Amino acid sequence: MSKEYRSPHADDYSDNPIRKIGVLTSGGDAPGMNAALRAVVRTAIFYRREVVGIYQGYKGLIEKNFKNMVSGDVSNIIQLGGTILKSARCKEFHLREVREMAYNHLKEEGIDALVVIGGDGTFTGARIFAQEFGIPIVGVPGTIDNDLFGTDFTIGYDTALNTIIEAVDKIRDTATAHERLFFIEVMGRDAGFLALNGGIASGAEAVLIPETSTDITTLENYIKSGYRKSKNSSIVLVAEGEKAGGAFGIAKQVEENFPQYDVRVTVLGHIQRGGSPTAFDRILASRLGVASVEALLDDQQSVMVGISNDAVELTPFNKAIKYDKEVNTKLLDTIHILSS
Ligand code: ATP
């Protein structure tokens, strides 16, 4: 028997003492952060809470760069890349006295709780801040790297993946025209999700990721067998954190052994962070934004909201940051089989 649907009500959390919620975006920006922000603001307002936007991540907390948000402030942003609140990397927040100043600014403004949208660094800072000053904080995973434990996907990952395949498709056209071997570097300092799934989706001949050691002989064999089968171009995706020197390092080694190949390197760089979020990221961001405010009003703190198997899950910051979300290295077999 299916459970009867009950729609949320504005009074659902009326007993909770949190009255004013601050929200910020921090660390590397990711497409879909705006959609998450929109959801946080609208959900807080739905439950009759005030909501304050904090500009430039933790920097805005220190500089007291705040703005009271109304529903109209987040109109027309669901489709925008970047973040209208701006983001920043803020070294000063590592200092206790600076965090104390940030806390005083929250008190002065009457902000009772925070939603932080960002990656593992953002949650590390949030965990320390919450522990020191007892402020409830809930995190929303916004990073293109998909490297947080406790959610199947992070906001921005799907858009970045689509940007990668669009770029690789274009590079393949020119690679084929000139019979070239291309090493394409994609983002992922510590995690190979973008390279691995980008490689499958773009039909790459091989993928090199930080989680596995790069065996140059095996790579060369793939390339050789590809050419033997008269493939007239080859694409290898390299995660930036790959340990043998990234795309330039690998290309140099291969070039020395195969002078007959016309080797080229492309680093995709920051285009991977930009662009309008995909439908998947907009939906993920909207669901997580709603869930973050509901979690705070449900007395949750120092947790990240995530979605696993289509259900909202809460994971303590500590686990979300420290537990490794493992890449499925079986996907390397998929690439190997399909490029044979
Ligand atoms: P991405 O994964 O996209 O790079 P991120 O959230 O991991 O995003 P970081 O630059 O690592 O990005 O972290 C964001 C901010 O979090 C830092 O600029 C800093 O202000 C704060 N932060 C990170 N680590 C700490 C820490 N140990 N103590 C206090 N604050 C921290």
Side-chain angles (χ1 to χ4, degrees):
M1 222 207 308
S2 64
K3 263 207 306 201
E4 207 178 313
Y5 172 73
R6 175 194 171 277
S7 57
H9 191 278
D11 289 330
D12 280 348
Y13 298 98
S14 53
D15 291 347
N16 190 291
I18 293 173
R19 294 285 121 199
K20 208 184 229 193
I21 296 172
V23 56
L24 58 83
T25 50
S26 157
D29 61 307
M33 278 183 161
N34 278 325
L37 171 67
R38 168 180 177 269
V40 169
V41 170
R42 294 258 164 102
T43 308
I45 291 170
F46 177 83
Y47 290 119
R48 301 198 178 109
R49 270 29 183 216
E50 284 182 79
V51 58
V52 175
I54 298 158
Y55 285 98
Q56 292 188 290
Y58 295 126
K59 189 165 181 267
L61 270 188
I62 298 165
E63 295 174 356
K64 210 175 173 191
N65 194 357
F66 298 163
K67 178 190 189 314
N68 287 319
M69 308 281 286
V70 296
S71 194
D73 291 325
V74 290
S75 292
N76 236 332
I77 65 166
I78 196 169
Q79 76 281 19
L80 299 182
T83 155
I84 60 162
L85 281 183
K86 316 275 184 204
S87 188
R89 303 203 193 259
C90 174
K91 279 204 208 104
E92 295 86 340
F93 203 66
H94 286 251
L95 303 171
R96 186 184 149 105
E97 62 269 28
V98 172
R99 292 194 295 271
E100 188 167 4
M101 189 162 79
Y103 175 65
N104 289 335
H105 290 159
L106 289 180
K107 268 205 315 201
E108 284 159 23
E109 192 65 27
I111 296 172
D112 309 301
L114 285 178
V115 173
V116 297
I117 305 169
D120 58 346
T122 299
F123 298 161
T124 305
R127 192 178 69 84
I128 296 167
F129 192 49
Q131 230 169 29
E132 285 172 340
F133 301 101
I135 177 146
I137 307 182
V138 167
V140 175
T143 168
I144 63 167
D145 292 338
N146 201 32
D147 58 349
L148 289 163
F149 180 87
T151 188
D152 289 344
F153 298 104
T154 57
I155 298 164
Y157 169 68
D158 185 66
T159 307
L161 206 49
N162 279 286
T163 302
I164 288 170
I165 63 168
E166 204 179 303
V168 175
D169 288 349
K170 288 181 176 153
I171 291 170
R172 193 180 282 285
D173 290 344
T174 170
T176 308
H178 291 277
E179 305 201 342
R180 279 175 177 154
L181 166 57
F182 263 89
F183 289 92
I184 302 174
E185 189 171 291
V186 300
M187 283 188 172
R189 258 171 305 163
D190 307 305
F193 295 100
L194 284 172
L196 206 45
N197 286 310
I200 293 177
S202 59
E205 277 61 47
V207 165
L208 306 176
I209 56 174
E211 291 84 349
T212 57
S213 60
T214 299
D215 174 358
I216 204 81
T217 317
T218 312
L219 172 66
E220 288 175 355
N221 285 338
Y222 286 160
I223 296 168
K224 258 195 250 168
S225 74
Y227 274 87
R228 233 181 280 125
K229 279 193 273 17
S230 71
K231 257 184 208 163
N232 59 9
S233 70
S234 275
I235 302 274
V236 178
L237 254 64
V238 185
E240 63 179 336
E242 183 281 329
K243 294 181 192 76
F248 280 103
I250 295 282
K252 192 158 172 277
Q253 291 183 51
V254 171
E255 236 172 354
E256 279 164 13
N257 295 353
F258 295 94
Q260 70 273 32
Y261 296 155
D262 190 3
V263 176
R264 290 289 190 277
V265 175
T266 298
V267 177
L268 293 190
H270 282 84
I271 61 163
Q272 293 163 93
R273 288 201 184 277
S276 178
T278 57
F280 184 91
D281 275 332
R282 295 182 197 197
I283 295 165
L284 181 67
S286 300
R287 291 181 69 185
L288 291 179
V290 171
S292 66
V293 173
E294 290 186 339
L296 276 177
L297 298 179
D298 244 343
D299 296 326
Q300 300 290 336
Q301 36 187 301
S302 291
V303 291
M304 180 194 84
V305 290
I307 293 183
S308 295
N309 294 324
D310 205 31
V312 170
E313 262 191 17
L314 303 179
T315 304
F317 279 148
N318 219 12
K319 270 195 187 175
I321 303 158
K322 294 217 173 102
Y323 281 29
D324 270 345
K325 175 168 168 184
E326 287 183 14
V327 297
N328 181 358
T329 45
K330 280 268 172 220
L331 297 177
L332 287 170
D333 299 345
T334 306
I335 290 177
H336 179 45
I337 291 167
L338 297 182
S339 65
S340 303

